[in-house]
Amino acid sequence: MIPASQVTKLQNALPFWISVLLVPLVWLGAMHGGWLLLVAPLYALLFTSILDHLTALNTGNPDPDTPEVGLFWYRLVTLIWFPLQVATQLGVIWWATHSNHLSTAEKILLFYGVGIMSGGIGIVYAHELMHQKTRLERWLGDLLMASVLYSHFRSEHLLVHHTHVGTPRDPVTARYNEGFHRFFLRVLPASLKSAFKAEAAMLLRKRKPWYHASNPFWRYWGLQAAVVFLAVAIGGGEGFIWLIVQAFFAISFLELTNYVEHYGLTRKHLGDGKYEHVLPRHSWNASHRATNWLLINLQRHSDHHYKPARRFPLLQTYSEEDAPQLPMGYPAMTAMALIPPIWRARMNPRVRAWRQRYYPEIEDWQPYNKATNPSPRSAI
């Protein structure tokens, strides 16, 4: 029998398990096809956004010094997610290639749902795991990223994004007025290149060549090759195609989130290639309750940049005085980002207000919109 104290902790953690429902919803669509293929996407993108509007914003902060033992039920969902996800990914590939009741269009929609599960949720969990210190959690993060063929995200995120966020040196900081589609085409090659260069630079500082066995890219490539092998073994050439399709959708959800998180927010250039420290003002936040359950508090993004290793249940929220706030949660904002004119109409005035509030002394922002270091004279 579970002690009463553990029951209370389980009850508090249970809302963060709403993502698990995606697994049976994906299978529901796979088995029956038709309109049921819409249930998983609508649950993740629409239902949680509606629930955001029906529930009050969550602006409360947990005790950041809560001991690790008190977080068991929160951590557990991130630990069990990989086997749930990979079994669904490979299982659905087998089902789609061995059954004949789904049309090609239905299969595309099916793997769109799988991509929401593996990208919209799985990559978020991988992000949480890769920031932790235990070997198990880091390996689970690597396995989740390999399942969507985007393993280099770990190196790019830990070595590049967290260091250079809000500057032209960070590929995944979306520039002001940059539409998502242009951002996506820029980021795909740029993030891979920056991740590889960062790992090679680390090895060089240790007097080792880039091809040294300790380069994590060898692990990335090996794990991704294993995933491809399994998909082909299960579903042949068609299985490989569906693996790529779900990976494309998963990566799209990741980069949509990256796009929203820092759109137009830049750190002040101090001259000589130096920038101010990362502050809460350099991330878009959302205190919407349901989507923070779904995304394990990813929307408390400013605090994540302040304390990257802080576990998701302990992330702190900031008031509008300290950090910019989004009008809706990330799922709704990423949907908006797919239509650049609507996105610009809603977000560009917020970016301009942010600039005026925090950096009224900067008159020329054009250099900050380019992928080069701004000139001190023209920028400040």
Side-chain angles (χ1 to χ4, degrees), residues 133-263:
K133 297 178 181 179
T134 71
R135 179 170 295 185
L136 172 63
E137 288 173 301
R138 285 178 174 261
W139 263 103
L140 287 173
D142 282 347
L143 290 168
L144 285 169
M145 294 311 306
S147 73
V148 295
L149 308 179
Y150 213 59
S151 296
H152 67 272
F153 171 69
R154 172 180 168 177
S155 293
E156 191 282 330
H157 185 78
L158 298 180
L159 302 181
V160 182
H161 178 65
H162 270 271
T163 301
H164 300 300
V165 62
T167 78
R169 299 170 191 166
D170 176 34
V172 301
T173 294
R175 324 296 187 216
Y176 175 76
N177 224 34
E178 181 180 30
F180 170 72
H181 305 93
R182 184 173 62 182
F183 167 86
F184 187 62
L185 293 176
R186 174 176 66 78
V187 162
L188 286 180
S191 62
L192 176 59
K193 181 179 178 181
S194 65
F196 191 87
K197 286 178 64 177
E199 292 290 358
M202 284 191 68
L203 288 169
L204 186 61
R205 288 194 290 271
K206 299 175 183 178
R207 305 192 179 206
K208 296 176 181 178
W210 70 265
Y211 50 82
H212 191 269
S214 61
N215 189 333
F217 270 79
W218 294 116
R219 180 170 72 254
Y220 300 162
W221 292 328
L223 291 174
Q224 291 178 174
V227 172
V228 171
F229 172 81
L230 289 172
V232 173
I234 289 171
E238 186 184 351
F240 174 72
I241 291 172
W242 294 125
L243 174 70
I244 297 298
V245 170
Q246 69 88 29
F248 172 79
F249 287 130
I251 293 165
S252 299
F253 280 109
L254 164 64
E255 298 304 351
L256 273 165
T257 303
N258 277 333
Y259 177 82
V260 168
E261 286 172 341
H262 304 282
Y263 174 77

Side-chain angles (χ1 to χ4, degrees), residues 59 121 129 139-140 153 168 189 193 197 209 247 272 311 315 327 369:
T59 57
I121 304 301
L129 293 163
W139 263 103
L140 287 173
F153 171 69
K193 181 179 178 181
K197 286 178 64 177
D272 297 324
R311 294 194 181 275
L315 288 172
N369 300 335

